């Protein structure tokens, strides 16, 4: 049965608050505690590193738990409650207290992971054809991009000071998350067949690797994810030091995300015509063209970088919609629906590991090459890390993807 747009929208609605919650935690939190509140940067870095590593490694366990319970609605409800409570604590701190931040991040990361894994596993069971599963993923990621745009602009609109804006946004997000979760939980379609419960065991964590499609797909996802995370980590440095246009950083990011949202219907059509694997190849090619073009840019090349943002944003739509749809196909091809949580637990682990590896690789390499933000020295290292290294990793991901069976 073809899923109606109202059903897809009801399912995808939860993607908006989940994405809106993630952005300020990764982007604004370090500046809030380290800049505005004056927390020692080394201490702040240690707290964030410990919390993020623990968050990444707990995801496979949460995936196995989801398979054991087979109660996605319950896990989503619990996860959203933890997430909004934790965000309210994180962005309404009594001061620069490391223990407050560490304690508040526990429900934030745990709630986000619980809700995300259950949400994605649910989506993998919807749709009886490969194209239907691509539609499910596209609607989920479309709402996610809307959430990213909302989180990008709302704090500055809610207050003139960023700390006040973030505090108010955390309360606004609690309302938004409650409403969107209610829509998804009450109105989204149920899977045609409820999967059986899986036993909770360590062996269940590695079960997806018995699927011959999963190994190369997972490896391609990691290589492609690091390639995408590198520019995301370095874009503000590139805008400030290579283009010398820091005042336009917000506009560049908006163009990037809006292009990604606008491209989703095009990737959906291309995946249906060519197959998801070939469509993802096209997305990688567009990304390589964009960042290779950025090599030619210098101070004041605003129009050229807008073109880079639009083309890489166009590729972003494919990166968001196609890999999880391919994963859903891999799950359904092996009748592994009861283990969907294990698959997405590993998938989310890889997503978070990509962000950590991007920062862990790029920033020390830049520092070793002599790059200092704002100093104007060793810009060649910045160009290499922002432009060339993502292209190399994208090409490696494409080579790995060749080993994934055709749609």
């Amino acid at each position: 049965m073809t899923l109606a747009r109202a059903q897809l929208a009801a399912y995808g609605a939860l993607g908006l608050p989940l994405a809106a919650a993630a952005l300020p935690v990764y982007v604004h939190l370090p500046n809030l505690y380290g800049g505005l509140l004056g927390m020692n940067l080394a201490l702040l870095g240690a707290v964030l590193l410990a919390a993020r590593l623990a968050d990444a490694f707990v995801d496979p366990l949460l995936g196995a738990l989801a398979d054991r319970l087979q109660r996605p609605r319950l896990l989503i409800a619990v996860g959203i409650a933890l997430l909004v409570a934790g965000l309210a604590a994180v962005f309404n701190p009594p001061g620069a207290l490391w223990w407050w931040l560490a304690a508040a991040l526990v429900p934030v990361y745990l709630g986000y992971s619980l809700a995300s894994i259950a949400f994605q596993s649910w989506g993998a069971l919807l749709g009886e054809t490969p194209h239907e599963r691509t539609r499910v993923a596209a609607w989920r990621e479309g709402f996610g991009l809307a959430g990213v745009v909302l989180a990008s602009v709302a704090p500055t609109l809610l207050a003139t000071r960023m700390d006040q804006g973030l505090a108010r946004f955390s309360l606004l997000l609690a309302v938004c998350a409650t409403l969107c979760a209610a829509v998804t939980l009450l109105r989204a379609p149920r899977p045609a067949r409820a999967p059986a419960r899986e036993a909770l065991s360590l062996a269940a964590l590695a079960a997806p690797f018995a699927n011959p499609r999963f190994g190369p797909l997972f490896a391609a996802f990691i290589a492609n994810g690091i390639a995408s995370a590198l520019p995301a980590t370095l874009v503000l440095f590139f805008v400030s030091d290579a283009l010398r246009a820091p005042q336009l950083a917000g506009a560049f990011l908006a163009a990037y995300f809006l292009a990604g949202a606008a491209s989703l219907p095009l990737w959906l059509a291309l995946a249906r015509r060519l197959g998801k694997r070939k469509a993802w190849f096209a997305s990688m090619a567009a990304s390589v063209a964009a960042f290779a073009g950025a090599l030619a840019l210098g101070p004041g090349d605003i129009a050229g970088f807008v073109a880079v943002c639009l083309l890489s944003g166009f590729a972003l739509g494919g990166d968001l919609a196609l890999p999880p749809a391919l994963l859903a196909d891999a799950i359904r091809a092996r009748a592994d629906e009861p283990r969907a949580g294990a698959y997405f637990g590993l998938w989310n682990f890889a997503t978070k590991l990509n962000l950590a590896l991007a920062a862990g690789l790029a920033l020390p390499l830049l520092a070793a090459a002599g790059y200092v933000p704002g100093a104007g020295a060793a810009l060649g290292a910045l160009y290499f890390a922002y432009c060339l290294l993502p292209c190399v990793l994208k090409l490696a991901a494409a080579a790995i993807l060749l080993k994934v069976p055709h749609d």
Side-chain angles (χ1 to χ4, degrees), residues 8-9 11-13 15 119 123 130-146 260-269 271 276 316-326:
L8 292 167
Y11 166 74
F119 183 46
H131 178 64
E132 283 292 287
R133 293 190 281 276
T134 310
R135 292 179 71 216
V136 171
W139 277 82
R140 180 178 62 226
E141 302 306 331
F143 273 97
L145 284 171
S263 73
L264 285 171
L266 299 176
W267 289 115
L268 187 63
K276 286 188 273 290
L316 171 69
D319 274 346
L320 290 176
L322 299 172
L326 280 164

Side-chain angles (χ1 to χ4, degrees), residues 216-366:
L217 183 60
F218 188 65
F221 179 69
I222 290 176
N224 185 73
I226 298 173
S228 299
L230 279 169
T233 301
L234 302 175
V235 63
L236 296 182
F237 299 131
F238 191 83
V239 169
S240 295
D241 291 340
L243 302 180
R244 298 179 190 170
Q247 73 281 5
L248 296 176
F252 290 141
L253 291 175
Y256 173 72
F257 288 119
L258 289 173
S263 73
L264 285 171
L266 299 176
W267 289 115
L268 187 63
L270 193 62
R272 186 169 194 174
R273 182 176 181 85
L274 301 178
K276 286 188 273 290
R277 193 176 71 144
K278 289 182 180 178
W280 195 14
F281 280 135
S283 169
M284 293 177 186
S287 186
V288 168
F291 289 107
L295 278 170
L297 302 181
D301 287 333
I302 306 304
F305 195 67
V306 169
V308 168
C309 291
L310 292 176
L311 184 55
S312 60
F314 173 76
L316 171 69
D319 274 346
L320 290 176
L322 299 172
L326 280 164
L327 179 60
D329 288 346
I331 294 171
R332 301 291 283 273
R334 291 269 295 191
D336 258 358
E337 290 91 335
R339 301 186 184 91
Y343 281 88
F344 281 101
L346 290 168
W347 204 252
N348 280 13
F349 164 77
T351 300
K352 294 169 183 177
L353 189 65
N354 290 342
L355 292 169
L357 287 176
L361 287 171
L363 298 180
L365 285 174
L366 287 176

Side-chain angles (χ1 to χ4, degrees), residues 6-59:
Q7 293 177 300
L8 292 167
Y11 166 74
L14 186 64
L16 190 152
L18 287 175
L23 186 136
V25 171
Y26 282 100
V27 174
H28 295 301
L29 186 153
N31 183 60
L32 172 64
Y33 279 84
L36 299 178
L37 297 180
M39 182 182 289
N40 178 273
L41 290 181
L43 179 59
L44 174 60
V47 170
L48 291 178
L49 178 62
R52 289 175 181 177
L53 286 176
D55 175 44
F57 282 96
V58 81
D59 276 7

Side-chain angles (χ1 to χ4, degrees), residues 1 70 72-73 121-122 124-129 133 189-197 328 331-340:
M1 181 180 69
Q70 293 298 341
R73 284 174 166 80
S121 302
W122 181 356
L125 305 183
L126 299 178
E128 293 303 311
T129 67
R133 293 190 281 276
R190 296 176 181 269
R193 296 177 298 278
R197 294 184 178 185
I331 294 171
R332 301 291 283 273
R334 291 269 295 191
D336 258 358
E337 290 91 335
R339 301 186 184 91

Side-chain angles (χ1 to χ4, degrees), residues 55-120:
D55 175 44
F57 282 96
V58 81
D59 276 7
L61 298 174
L62 294 178
L65 176 64
D67 291 338
R68 177 68 182 91
L69 297 178
Q70 293 298 341
R71 299 283 299 277
R73 284 174 166 80
L74 173 63
L75 294 180
I76 287 171
V78 172
I80 291 296
L82 289 171
L83 176 61
V84 298
L87 283 174
V90 165
F91 291 115
N92 293 272
L97 304 173
W98 72 266
W99 56 265
W100 177 278
L101 176 60
L105 284 175
V106 172
V108 168
Y109 285 138
L110 180 61
Y112 180 85
S113 295
L114 266 178
S116 296
I117 291 169
F119 183 46
Q120 292 171 318

